[in-house]
């Protein structure tokens, strides 16, 4: 017997929905590290920040590596057995993090956590989509919930780390996973989803090459600034290893009967333009590094206050989710929704450009963070919907891992690394420019220390303003691109007029050719009939 649902028939529908929401609330934000308490991990383990940035990227890479095989894993095991085992494993990985002292352990557990949590997530997608029906409305509700939970979890990770220590939060997440495993062992049915399929068709070598290519890339993005980019032998070797691994991965797919990845969808127009827009979304999301530098380094916020800034995004995220549900319910074309998302991100960049001063108050964050929340959520929903629109399920699952890694890791990681490097270079230039105002007449030995601090803070602000300025210029180009893109509609409509060229109508000649071709096709079809 097969069962397409998740729970036993005797479980009431409201209870089933509640259990799904609880599972989403715990599993979706789970990761190897939490961005809010990275500073506490650094102080607790004595490792560099770059290791934990690498671990943060590893979670996304693990999710992307699992995506092409999630359907086969779903068909191979019974739902209850698989869900219980996965939740127990996620709890154990959290416990390992709570007791770890070496940064490479966090990187390994983050990769495994991303891989395992994607198998859990796919079990939740199908019943939720069946309940909601409309894929766009599902994206609107799902991404709104997930993005809100990410901000809440990141904030409370900092709160727990302050009041207790960073290990306690991992213990809490592990205990929640164990409790959910027990609950789902009781309420889930013990049947297969559909016809059982074997696992030996999975090409594990391709999975290893996928992980290798992007983990080496993550090393480059994380340690590039610290090791001076191309002047470092490690960075050069990692870049070569990433390129070779990806090249081997691509070549291997053309030699397999059942390839791990499919590159067929990347010839589709909407996929190409969707990836292009996701790249520019990464340009705006990468500004988080500039925001953290300004909030912590210039304004002197503590970690809890800085994490609270991301909580200010929640009203904008919720508004974007409401607008998305309305938009897809009314089946309004996507162009203006996407345009509103990029406009909100532009508004965030503009406000930050004009407001980055030493006198910046906490209340000044309300507007830019609201705009950032709306822009992030609306673009996650709309661009992701447009990119994967009208794709067959098999083709989509075989390539969505690459798209996921592109959206959440490659584009954001690339721009974050670029901003970090430019911020460093621009600070050096700014200090040199400001140094001309320092001499024995304006700075006395008694005021030297205070003036040097002000000089350094102003250099940080100048470098941040410069980068935001370049982002704004690029943003105008993105808005122009979005407003002129056809989004699946006819790009041009020919006016009904006759243009005469050399005494004959161009349109008339085209119609004659089409008529002649049609008559020939009718004749060819009629011949065998006669």
């Amino acid at each position: 017997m097969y069962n397409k649902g998740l729970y036993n028939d005797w479980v009431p529908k409201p209870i089933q929905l509640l259990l799904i929401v609880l599972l989403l609330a715990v599993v979706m934000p789970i990761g190897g590290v939490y961005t809010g308490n990275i500073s506490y991990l650094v102080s607790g383990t004595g490792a560099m920040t770059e290791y934990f940035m690498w671990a943060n990227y590893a979670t996304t890479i693990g999710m992307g590596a699992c995506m092409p095989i999630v359907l086969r894993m779903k068909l191979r095991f019974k739902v209850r057995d698989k869900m219980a085992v996965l939740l127990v494993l996620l709890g154990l990985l959290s416990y390992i993090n709570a007791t770890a002292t070496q940064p490479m352990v966090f990187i390994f557990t983050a990769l495994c956590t991303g891989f395992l949590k994607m198998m859990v997530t796919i079990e939740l997608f199908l019943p939720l989509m069946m309940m909601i029906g409309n894929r766009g409305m599902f994206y609107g509700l799902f991404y709104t919930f997930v993005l809100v939970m990410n901000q809440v979890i990141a904030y409370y990770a900092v709160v727990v780390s302050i009041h207790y220590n960073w290990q306690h939060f991992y213990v809490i997440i592990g205990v929640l996973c164990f409790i959910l495993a027990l609950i789902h062992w009781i309420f889930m049915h013990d049947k297969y989803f559909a016809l059982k399929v074997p696992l030996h068709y999975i090409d594990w070598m391709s999975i290893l090459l996928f992980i290798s290519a992007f983990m080496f890339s993550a090393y480059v993005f994380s340690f590039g600034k610290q090791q001076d980019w191309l002047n470092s032998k490690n960075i050069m070797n990692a870049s070569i290893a990433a390129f070779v691994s990806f090249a081997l991965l691509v070549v291997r797919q053309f030699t397999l009967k059942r390839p791990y990845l499919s590159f067929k969808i990347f010839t589709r127009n909407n996929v190409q333009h969707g990836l292009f827009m996701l790249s520019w979304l990464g340009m705006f999301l990468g500004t988080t590094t500039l925001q953290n530098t300004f909030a912590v380094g210039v304004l002197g916020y503590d970690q809890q206050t800085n994490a609270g800034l991301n909580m200010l995004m929640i009203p904008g995220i919720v508004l974007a989710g409401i607008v998305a549900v309305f938009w897809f319910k009314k089946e309004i074309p996507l162009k203006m929704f996407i345009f509103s998302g990029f406009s909100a991100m532009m508004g965030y960049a503009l406000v930050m450009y004009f407001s980055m001063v030493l006198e910046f108050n906490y209340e000044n964050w309300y507007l830019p963070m609201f705009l950032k929340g709306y822009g992030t959520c609306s673009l996650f929903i709309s661009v992701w919907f447009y990119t994967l629109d009208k794709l067959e399920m098999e083709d989509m699952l075989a390539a969505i891992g690459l798209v996921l890694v592109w959206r959440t890791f490659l584009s954001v990681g690339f721009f974050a690394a670029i901003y970090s490097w430019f911020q460093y270079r621009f600070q050096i230039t700014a200090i040199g420019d400001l140094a001309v105002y320092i001499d024995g007449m304006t700075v006395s030995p008694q005021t030297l220390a205070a003036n040097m601090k002000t000089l350094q803070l102003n250099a940080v602000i100048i470098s941040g303003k410069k980068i935001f300025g370049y982002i704004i210029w690029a943003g105008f180009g993105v808005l122009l691109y979005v407003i002129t893109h056809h989004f699946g509609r006819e790009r041009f409509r020919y006016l009904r007029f006759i243009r005469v060229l050399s005494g004959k109508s161009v349109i008339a000649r085209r119609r004659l050719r089409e008529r002649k071709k049609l008559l020939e096709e009718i004749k060819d079809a009629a011949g065998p009939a006669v």
Side-chain angles (χ1 to χ4, degrees), residues 303-495:
Q303 291 300 321
Q304 184 173 350
T305 306
N306 185 44
L309 294 179
N310 290 327
M311 296 285 282
L312 299 178
M313 294 171 58
I314 291 179
I317 293 172
V318 173
L319 177 63
I322 294 171
V323 172
V325 171
F326 170 80
W327 208 276
F328 287 106
K329 185 176 181 180
K330 298 294 184 180
E331 297 183 353
I332 305 174
L334 278 175
K335 174 183 283 191
M336 295 313 297
F337 189 37
I338 295 177
F339 185 81
S340 72
F342 278 114
S343 298
M345 297 303 266
M346 273 287 290
Y348 163 76
L350 282 166
V351 173
M352 292 304 298
Y353 177 81
F354 288 108
S355 302
M356 288 178 71
V357 292
L358 292 173
E359 298 79 19
F360 197 90
N361 295 322
Y362 192 84
E363 291 76 14
N364 297 127
W365 286 105
Y366 293 160
L367 177 60
M369 298 311 292
F370 174 84
L371 293 173
K372 186 179 181 182
Y374 177 86
T376 301
C377 187
S378 60
L379 292 175
F380 262 67
I381 296 166
S382 55
V383 178
W384 191 252
F385 179 90
Y386 173 70
T387 304
L388 303 180
D389 192 26
K390 299 177 182 178
L391 296 179
E392 297 295 333
M393 179 61 74
E394 292 184 1
D395 293 336
M396 185 175 71
L397 286 176
I400 195 173
L402 283 173
V403 181
L404 176 67
V405 170
W406 180 278
R407 180 195 70 182
T408 314
F409 159 56
L410 281 178
S411 59
V412 178
F414 172 78
F415 280 106
I418 292 296
Y419 295 159
S420 179
W421 184 81
F422 272 110
Q423 192 170 35
Y424 171 72
R425 302 299 302 177
F426 288 160
Q427 281 183 47
I428 295 175
T429 304
I431 289 175
D433 294 339
L434 292 171
V436 299
Y437 300 103
I438 298 178
D439 55 34
M441 299 297 294
T442 58
V443 179
S444 64
Q446 291 77 19
T447 61
L448 178 62
N451 280 280
M452 289 300 292
K453 181 180 179 180
T454 304
L455 184 72
Q456 186 177 12
L457 294 180
N458 279 304
V460 174
I461 290 175
I462 290 170
S463 63
K465 277 180 172 286
K466 267 190 179 180
I467 297 173
F468 270 114
Y470 288 124
I471 292 171
I472 291 168
W473 280 112
F476 281 121
V478 175
L479 292 179
L480 180 63
Y481 161 79
V482 172
I483 204 67
T484 56
H485 183 53
H486 55 87
F487 288 98
R489 289 177 170 267
E490 292 183 11
R491 187 174 299 181
F492 304 108
R493 295 186 181 275
Y494 293 103
L495 298 176

Side-chain angles (χ1 to χ4, degrees), residues 48-49 56 109 115-116 198 232 320 343 348 402 420 444 473 500:
M48 292 188 296
T49 306
N56 188 38
T109 56
F115 195 89
L116 295 177
S232 168
S343 298
Y348 163 76
L402 283 173
S420 179
S444 64
W473 280 112
V500 178

Side-chain angles (χ1 to χ4, degrees), residues 60-69 118 206-207 209-211 213-214 217 242 245-247 249-250 253-254 260-267 271 274-275 278-279 384 387-388 395-411:
T60 303
I61 295 168
M63 293 173 64
C66 182
M67 199 66 207
I69 65 171
M118 183 51 70
S206 294
I207 296 178
L209 289 172
F210 182 97
I211 292 173
F214 291 111
S217 301
S245 298
F246 190 76
L249 175 66
V250 173
Q253 304 318 297
F254 292 105
Y260 165 72
L261 291 175
S262 172
F263 301 97
K264 186 190 303 183
I265 69 166
F266 295 103
T267 61
V271 176
L275 291 175
L278 289 174
S279 300
W384 191 252
T387 304
L388 303 180
D395 293 336
M396 185 175 71
L397 286 176
I400 195 173
L402 283 173
V403 181
L404 176 67
V405 170
W406 180 278
R407 180 195 70 182
T408 314
F409 159 56
L410 281 178
S411 59

Side-chain angles (χ1 to χ4, degrees), residues 91-109:
L92 289 174
L93 289 172
S94 291
Y95 177 76
I96 291 172
N97 285 339
T99 58
T101 56
Q102 296 298 321
M104 293 305 296
V105 174
F106 287 90
I107 294 167
F108 176 76
T109 56

Side-chain angles (χ1 to χ4, degrees), residues 513-530:
R513 288 197 300 270
E514 293 174 351
R515 180 180 176 85
K516 182 178 179 182
K517 182 179 180 182
L518 178 62
L519 290 174
E520 289 177 350
E521 291 174 352
I522 294 174
K523 181 177 64 175
D524 293 337
V530 172

